[in-house]
Amino acid sequence: MPGGRLTLHERECIAAGLADGLGYTEIGRQLERPTSTVSREVTRNGGPSRYRADRAHRATMARARRSRATAQPPVPATAPDEAVRDFAAHFTDLFVYDGMPRMQARVLTCLHLTDSGSLTAAELARQLDVSPASISTAVNALESRDLLRRERDSRRRDHYYIDGDTWYRTTLNLARAAEERVKAARHGAELLGVSTPAGARLHEIGRYLDYLGQQMVLVVERWHRP
């Protein structure tokens, strides 16, 4: 099985496979590459509908140049440096693909790859090789979404933490946001009239979001149930 980075030819084969409606597994089989390699490649370069081989190749080369000049998250002694760097890049790209600004995604990845789950602003700035102002903006945004918490030590240094309840709190916040969207959809349906196409559409959206929010809460409760 070939190793190393994907070549431009392989990326062109991936683009052709996506255009033909092939799944990641079949494309990987044709290239003799793991399915995860194909999935990661497509995800970090726009997704199936926006993937372009030449653009993906240029972006990968640019990332490689930046990675050589940029400090990386802490690397556990038990794992090869390159493997952890690849994982960190993939983990960051997943956050970005979901709509998170890249600096916030890099901070979150850095914290996840630290055994303690905690770093100071100065440590984050040093690990990511960015300005303290960039870290401040990112952590403030992450804190507002309950994706990390802040504590101040006796030396008046802020420490930023992720813990076992981080995603639990985030899911509940998403459920609360869904409630607000339900109210808005229902109000719009009432204004336009449920008998109209637009009103019926908003009514259905409200029903779906209401169901989604309730299920999210139930999932969290089942997860935490002894």
Side-chain angles (χ1 to χ4, degrees):
M1 182 175 65
R5 298 185 184 278
L6 290 168
T7 65
L8 177 58
H9 174 69
E10 287 177 312
R11 291 189 166 96
E12 289 172 343
C13 291
I14 290 174
L18 293 172
D20 290 340
L22 300 182
Y24 295 152
T25 301
E26 177 60 21
I27 295 173
R29 187 188 65 77
Q30 292 182 4
L31 295 177
E32 297 184 344
R33 290 277 193 171
T35 301
S36 59
T37 297
V38 178
S39 172
R40 182 168 63 249
E41 165 70 13
V42 176
T43 298
R44 69 166 49 168
N45 290 292
S49 63
R50 298 177 60 192
Y51 184 82
R52 300 293 182 274
D54 55 345
R55 185 172 61 194
H57 195 69
R58 289 196 301 271
T60 300
M61 296 301 100
R63 282 195 295 268
R65 289 192 295 271
R66 287 197 300 270
S67 67
R68 287 193 291 268
T70 302
Q72 298 296 326
V75 178
T78 55
D81 290 5
E82 185 177 358
V84 176
R85 282 196 294 270
D86 286 346
F87 173 77
H90 178 50
F91 205 60
T92 297
D93 287 341
L94 290 176
F95 287 129
V96 173
Y97 185 69
D98 284 339
M100 181 180 290
R102 182 163 290 276
M103 182 51 62
Q104 294 178 36
R106 293 184 69 200
V107 167
L108 209 53
T109 294
C110 199
L111 288 171
H112 275 87
L113 297 186
T114 304
D115 285 342
S116 65
S118 170
L119 291 168
T120 65
E123 289 169 335
L124 283 166
R126 186 167 59 252
Q127 293 286 349
L128 299 176
D129 193 25
V130 296
S131 69
S134 297
I135 295 298
S136 177
T137 300
V139 295
N140 285 339
L142 291 168
E143 187 178 21
S144 71
R145 297 171 59 187
D146 278 342
L147 284 171
L148 57 76
R149 58 186 176 85
R150 179 194 315 236
E151 291 183 6
R152 179 161 292 189
D153 63 19
S154 58
R155 298 171 58 186
R156 301 185 62 79
R157 296 178 306 178
D158 285 334
H159 291 253
Y160 301 99
Y161 292 85
I162 55 170
D163 55 38
D165 287 335
T166 294
W167 294 98
Y168 164 77
R169 294 192 301 270
T170 300
T171 303
L172 291 181
N173 284 339
L174 290 173
R176 284 193 285 270
E179 290 177 3
E180 293 303 313
R181 293 186 176 93
V182 169
K183 293 177 184 177
R186 286 174 174 170
H187 180 60
E190 291 174 0
L191 285 176
L192 298 173
V194 180
S195 59
T196 67
R201 186 182 306 117
L202 286 170
H203 177 70
E204 187 63 20
I205 290 172
R207 289 182 62 244
Y208 169 73
L209 292 175
D210 186 37
Y211 174 80
L212 181 63
Q214 292 179 33
Q215 291 302 308
M216 290 170 72
V217 172
L218 289 174
V219 166
V220 170
E221 289 176 346
R222 283 199 298 268
W223 178 261
H224 276 262
R225 191 173 298 155

